[in-house]
Amino acid sequence: MTPALGFFEAGLIRLKNSLSVIMQTMTGMALLSTMWFVVGFTLVFAPDVNGIIGDLSWFFFNNVPFSDSVSWAATIPGVNFAAYQMMFAVITPLLITGAFAERMKWNAFFIFIIVWSLVIYYPLAHWIWGGGWLAKLGVFDFAGGIVIHTSAGMAALASALVLGRRKGFGPEIMVPHNLPLAAIGATLLWLGWFGFNAGSALASGALAASALLATQIGACTCALVWILLSWKRTGKPTVSAAINGAISGLAGVTPTAGFITGQWAFILGIV
């Protein structure tokens, strides 16, 4: 999903900056995976410290069981759960890149994703998934709609407000340079999202099947709405509307994928 995110965003911006986005996502995949291995997993899922953060008992995956499970995932080995959660920790900061594409240097990006992970993602993930104070209030998030998409969305908005418009902002620089590349990225993201949502059941069974169905129906109905709206607005449907609609539907259904039926996913996708 992470390289696919790079393809998706690279195709939607100008040619001269397309490689910069791919470089950001590839760098982020390497850096954020390492951070998760060293300190991220323990800060999120290790025993709770005052409802705010985990302790350092699983630093460098130390003492994470290879054959036995952990309390957060009784159906799979602990190290399997830790590696699976790495996916979320990697892609979340990189979702923000679309908001500052073409406007942030690589070194600034490098520092930003480190600080954002430590200050925003790790604490928030602990609060909801790691038994922190929000979990104790009864907050549910099946596969990351709050932990991942809401946090990344708010950070994207903040980034856009701070950095301001791109130089020469206007219709002439808003035309995607390579929609087939963006469509390939969107397709691979869509495929990976089944692991994102259905995989969050942490077992093969009815819950995973229900989440998979909700994911597909939510994405398809949302994509269809975007296609029809683009058709009405411009007189012909567009590829960019189709792929952005699908990604919007996928993100929208994520927090509830394991809690709703396909019928409600249909309604959610339209909304």
Side-chain angles (χ1 to χ4, degrees), residues 16-147:
K16 68 176 184 177
N17 293 314
S18 59
L19 280 180
S20 69
V21 172
I22 294 175
M23 181 60 184
Q24 288 175 356
T25 55
M26 297 302 291
T27 301
M29 185 160 58
L31 172 62
L32 295 165
S33 295
T34 303
M35 285 182 61
W36 183 253
F37 175 71
V38 174
V39 73
F41 181 65
T42 192
L43 292 178
V44 175
F45 289 105
D48 179 63
V49 178
N50 298 321
I52 303 300
I53 201 71
D55 65 24
L56 296 178
S57 58
W58 287 340
F59 189 67
F60 271 97
F61 276 28
N62 184 47
N63 298 322
V64 177
F66 273 76
S67 54
D68 296 329
S69 62
V70 293
S71 58
W72 309 116
T75 57
I76 57 176
V79 72
N80 192 2
F81 176 69
Y84 178 71
Q85 284 291 329
M86 183 187 292
M87 170 191 67
F88 296 116
V90 167
I91 202 166
T92 306
L94 300 180
L95 291 173
I96 309 168
T97 56
F100 51 68
E102 305 187 300
R103 286 171 293 166
M104 184 181 286
K105 292 181 178 180
W106 181 88
N107 54 352
F109 158 82
F110 191 85
I111 296 170
F112 173 81
I113 61 172
I114 293 174
V115 175
W116 194 87
S117 295
L118 291 170
V119 175
I120 303 296
Y121 181 78
Y122 296 163
L124 178 59
H126 178 78
W127 296 349
I128 297 177
W129 285 340
W133 67 276
L134 285 176
K136 293 172 183 175
L137 290 177
V139 174
F140 290 96
D141 184 358
F142 185 73
I146 302 172
V147 175

Side-chain angles (χ1 to χ4, degrees), residues 124-188:
L124 178 59
H126 178 78
W127 296 349
I128 297 177
W129 285 340
W133 67 276
L134 285 176
K136 293 172 183 175
L137 290 177
V139 174
F140 290 96
D141 184 358
F142 185 73
I146 302 172
V147 175
I148 297 170
H149 299 123
T150 301
S151 65
M154 295 301 293
L157 176 60
S159 300
L161 291 173
V162 169
L163 293 174
R165 291 183 173 188
R166 287 178 284 182
K167 292 181 179 179
F169 179 85
E172 68 277 4
I173 71 165
M174 298 302 292
V175 177
H177 93 276
N178 192 334
L179 277 175
L181 179 63
I184 289 172
T187 303
L188 293 172

